[in-house]
Amino acid sequence: MYTTLIEPSELAAHSSDTDWAVLDCRFELGRPEWGASVYAQGHVPNAIYAHLDRDLSSPVTSTSGRHPLPQLDAFVATLRRWGIDENVQVVAYDQSNGAYASRLWWLLRWVGHSRVAVLNGGFAAWQQAGLPLSKQPGVRQPRRFTPKQAQTGVVSTVELEKLLAAGHLTTGRCLIDARSADRFAGQNETIDPVAGHVPGASNHPFAHNLDAQGRFLPAHVLRSKWLETLRGQAPATAIAMCGSGVTACHNLLALEVAGLPGAQLYAGSWSEWIRDAARPVEPPRK
């Protein structure tokens, strides 16, 4: 059973296994249909395309962030349509670095399915290994998926507001933002209408989990980096966030690879936090 990362050669060895489901999560924020387009041009054989906006998120509302978590019933229906049940090993991949595949990895764990891994190095690593491609859409027979546990591991905006007001983000809990250092600092913001970060948050850009080829760093290296970021706090005290609850999942996966499980996700993240002008931001709004 693979529960964090899998290598291209390991996935290739199970290419015809009906108890394995491969999900192509390639996506670009600025071009929402790009992923489906490149999927049609070639993908891992038998892979099914998973769209970030339509399959891994619910519709945006006036109070939500850019990628709200999918409604439980809708997500379970999607998993059934993809032919996933408790016996299926799921492998998710994206173009290279796992930024989007990690969202699917986290969502499956959120509904109690631990047999899920991210392809290390993504589609780029699959191609570099010279492994076969297909243009035929993946098709699986529907299966009965049943969530195995209550959905936990999520911190809401209301809960985060209370933690901040009580001073718990400096004593007891740590909020860790996966966005790039410049966006965290309130510079070069090109995605969201307000720049900055939640007061009390620290920064661990998800790219720090990767090597130059877009592969996850070895577990012992990740552990060293994350222990520095945690600053003596237990992993279970950590709350991961980003711009919209997507790349925060990359940090959660990296923590698991490092042997530091237990952190939670602030799913609304920065794009939800800034919906209300009364919520404080650092640096202060202009």
Side-chain angles (χ1 to χ4, degrees):
M1 180 171 70
Y2 295 87
T3 60
T4 53
L5 299 174
I6 187 171
E7 297 301 323
S9 60
E10 294 171 321
L11 174 57
H14 293 273
S15 60
S16 60
D17 193 329
T18 58
D19 279 338
W20 282 56
V22 183
L23 282 302
D24 185 322
C25 302
R26 285 179 285 176
F27 192 81
E28 281 192 3
L29 291 177
R31 296 188 291 166
E33 297 311 315
W34 171 84
S37 175
V38 294
Y39 169 83
Q41 296 169 28
H43 52 262
V44 173
N46 301 313
I48 295 170
Y49 185 67
H51 194 285
L52 175 63
D53 291 341
R54 294 192 289 269
D55 298 317
L56 309 183
S57 307
S58 60
V60 175
T61 71
S62 60
T63 58
S64 76
R66 288 182 278 108
H67 293 105
L69 293 183
Q71 294 296 318
L72 176 60
D73 290 348
F75 186 57
V76 167
T78 297
L79 296 177
R80 291 174 175 173
R81 173 168 51 85
W82 286 341
I84 295 171
D85 64 15
E86 67 273 9
N87 298 313
V88 171
Q89 172 70 58
V90 180
V91 177
Y93 71 86
D94 52 35
Q95 47 266 56
S96 61
N97 60 24
Y100 300 104
S102 296
R103 167 80 165 210
L104 179 55
W105 171 86
W106 184 88
L107 284 171
L108 276 161
R109 292 169 63 91
W110 178 58
V111 294
H113 190 80
S114 59
R115 292 176 178 265
V116 55
V118 168
L119 182 63
N120 201 8
F123 187 68
W126 182 268
Q127 288 182 297
Q128 289 164 5
L131 293 165
L133 302 178
S134 173
K135 293 185 179 180
Q136 296 299 316
V139 177
R140 291 179 55 79
Q141 292 300 311
R143 296 197 186 192
R144 179 78 178 177
F145 182 88
T146 303
K148 291 186 176 62
Q149 62 187 41
Q151 285 62 61
T152 58
V154 181
V155 173
S156 70
T157 295
V158 170
E159 290 169 324
L160 189 61
E161 286 179 307
K162 292 178 179 178
L163 289 170
L164 179 60
H168 292 323
L169 293 185
T170 53
T171 58
R173 300 299 300 268
C174 51
L175 179 64
I176 302 171
D177 195 320
R179 292 176 299 159
S180 61
D182 56 348
R183 289 185 65 205
F184 180 79
Q187 305 160 352
N188 194 33
E189 179 57 71
T190 60
I191 300 175
D192 289 307
V194 177
H197 59 265
V198 177
S202 59
N203 188 211
H204 188 110
F206 80 91
H208 287 187
N209 302 321
L210 302 166
D211 65 15
Q213 288 71 48
R215 292 171 52 85
F216 278 77
L217 294 166
H220 72 279
V221 178
L222 287 172
R223 187 177 182 88
S224 177
K225 285 177 170 284
W226 274 100
L227 287 175
E228 183 177 346
T229 295
L230 290 168
R231 299 175 187 174
Q233 298 273 65
T237 69
I239 302 168
M241 69 168 291
C242 56
S244 63
V246 177
T247 57
C249 297
H250 196 282
N251 276 351
L252 293 170
L253 174 54
L255 281 162
E256 290 280 342
V257 173
L260 299 168
Q264 294 178 291
L265 174 68
Y266 171 35
S269 282
W270 180 247
S271 56
E272 181 166 307
W273 183 261
I274 60 175
R275 286 286 197 175
D276 187 341
R279 295 182 188 126
V281 302
E282 183 65 37
R285 301 173 196 246
K286 295 180 181 179

